[in-house]
Amino acid sequence: MPRALITGIAGFAGSYLVEYLLSTTGLEISGIVHAGHPSPNLAHLRQRLTIYEGDVAEFDFVQHVMQEVRPDYIFHLAGQAAVPLAWVHPGKTVVTNIIGQLNVLESVVRCGIDPRILVVGSGEEYGLIFPSELPVTENNALRPNNPYAVSKIAQDMLGYQYFISHKLQAVRVRPFNHIGPRQSEEFVTSSFAKQIAEAELGLRGPTILVGNLETRRDFTDVRDMVRGYWLALLRGKAGEVYNLGNGRSWSMGEILDMFLSKSRVPLQVEADPDRLRPADVLDVVCDASKFRSQTGWCPEIPIEQTVEELLDYWRNRLTAEFRA
């Protein structure tokens, strides 16, 4: 039976990826979770997985897992993924993301295996995007404007370097914003949903705190995104890099209006200076035509459905916590 290893398997994208792979493939799946961190996203799947607890920033641990699993497919999703946290903890973000990627690739070399490897970069790598450059293709200049973006460029380039130097079958992807149920409140759409759910339950006042509502982002449902990750390893070309995104953008104000239209209580909106980024880009639109033409991938879940399910997720979660 072919084997897959997913680092960060308990995270937002990782948990959806394992659900998708278990339902559509015959893969034997192992995963890495950070030692001591709870993993409620995997509670319903634990008996179908082999889980290793440890830190991808520790090479000996990663090499031990790699040698034991000897996977045919590797999805490297572990890391620090929130841009706001990267501003607060730039050193930790850079070390965790870069060293974790390096350890995965180097352990593959030392174990003498030849898996297909997904190197997950980010649309944030493009950083400062000029309006004339929209939609953004893989050939666009990389102008990182936050520490997280720098760390993802390094991960991206490590994947390319190991492809060139060691002939590893590394396929690089640059996913743009992906959202959905189970996403951390550190991300803007999940923050909107949580605040509304809290107000409905009387856990906060009727005011939603927001950042810049003028910025526009390209959003894709996380379930569409992880389907793209699998297609990248099935049909993507080793050494190549692919954008993954919807192909259009929505303003934060438009997204907030979608949430507010579903609120069960009247709400006010208040700007919060602490939610503004030191550097930001007004509009981001992804050109994923290269990936679509090579794999046949296309996002299928409408953003209205994602918004509704994300809000319901926080309603259910907070209700359960309140009753407990």
Side-chain angles (χ1 to χ4, degrees):
M1 183 181 295
R3 296 177 297 276
L5 174 65
I6 305 173
T7 70
I9 194 171
F12 174 51
S15 61
Y16 279 105
L17 176 62
V18 71
E19 287 178 344
Y20 177 75
L21 295 178
L22 286 173
S23 67
T24 60
T25 75
L27 292 173
E28 178 182 322
I29 300 176
S30 299
I32 291 176
V33 300
H34 199 284
H37 285 213
S39 52
N41 293 341
L42 297 181
H44 59 304
L45 301 171
R46 278 275 184 172
Q47 294 184 347
R48 304 176 64 185
L49 307 169
T50 300
I51 299 297
Y52 297 86
E53 294 191 8
D55 189 346
V56 293
E58 296 178 1
F59 178 75
D60 289 345
F61 165 72
V62 176
Q63 187 172 28
H64 165 73
V65 174
M66 202 68 66
Q67 185 64 53
E68 192 161 295
V69 177
R70 301 188 70 82
D72 302 285
Y73 301 97
I74 297 173
F75 301 86
H76 179 48
L77 304 181
Q80 199 296 95
V83 173
L85 277 181
W87 285 112
V88 178
H89 302 292
K92 184 177 180 180
T93 297
V94 169
V95 170
T96 297
N97 291 354
I98 297 177
I99 298 302
Q101 182 71 75
L102 180 62
N103 287 345
V104 168
L105 297 172
E106 184 63 21
S107 65
V108 168
V109 173
R110 297 196 189 185
C111 288
I113 56 178
D114 188 30
R116 298 277 286 175
I117 307 168
L118 188 72
V119 175
V120 182
S122 170
E124 287 283 343
E125 293 179 52
Y126 296 107
L128 178 60
I129 300 169
F130 300 115
S132 61
E133 296 173 326
L134 297 177
V136 180
T137 72
E138 292 84 355
N139 295 321
N140 209 74
L142 304 181
R143 309 182 189 99
N145 59 358
N146 62 69
Y148 171 74
V150 172
S151 74
K152 299 309 283 186
I153 290 174
Q155 287 188 241
D156 190 332
M157 293 299 103
L158 278 169
Y160 183 74
Q161 183 249 304
Y162 271 76
F163 163 74
I164 292 294
S165 303
H166 300 284
K167 311 305 180 188
L168 295 193
Q169 296 186 64
V171 180
R172 298 172 291 140
V173 293
R174 293 174 184 161
F176 284 61
N177 297 68
H178 41 292
I179 61 176
R182 302 204 293 255
Q183 190 168 34
S184 167
E185 64 190 275
E186 294 156 355
F187 295 84
V188 60
T189 55
S190 204
S191 175
F192 290 164
K194 184 185 180 187
Q195 291 184 74
I196 292 172
E198 287 175 333
E200 291 176 343
L201 290 169
L203 301 176
R204 66 178 297 128
T207 301
I208 306 301
L209 300 177
V210 302
N212 186 353
L213 296 179
E214 300 299 318
T215 57
R216 304 180 64 87
R217 292 295 181 265
D218 188 316
F219 292 105
T220 301
D221 190 285
V222 63
R223 291 158 287 194
D224 281 327
M225 193 63 75
V226 299
R227 182 167 50 84
Y229 289 173
W230 175 231
L231 287 172
L233 289 194
L234 281 184
R235 303 175 186 172
K237 184 178 179 182
E240 287 294 322
V241 63
Y242 301 96
N243 285 345
L244 275 72
N246 216 306
R248 64 153 293 184
S249 63
W250 291 265
S251 73
M252 295 300 103
E254 290 174 312
I255 298 295
L256 179 60
D257 286 342
M258 291 183 199
F259 279 109
L260 293 176
S261 70
K262 300 179 185 303
S263 175
R264 297 168 181 168
V265 297
L267 296 168
Q268 298 176 339
V269 176
E270 180 179 314
D272 179 6
D274 290 338
R275 294 171 187 262
L276 299 176
R277 294 185 182 183
D280 215 341
V281 177
L282 183 60
D283 196 6
V284 176
V285 181
C286 169
D287 182 341
S289 57
K290 176 181 174 182
F291 187 69
R292 294 189 188 200
S293 65
Q294 193 155 333
T295 67
W297 177 80
C298 183
E300 298 174 352
I301 300 174
I303 194 167
E304 294 79 8
Q305 177 183 336
T306 307
V307 164
E308 183 171 6
E309 292 179 357
L310 177 53
L311 181 54
D312 284 341
Y313 162 76
W314 277 110
R315 285 169 173 159
N316 294 335
R317 174 174 167 178
L318 292 174
T319 298
E321 292 176 356
F322 181 73
R323 289 176 177 172

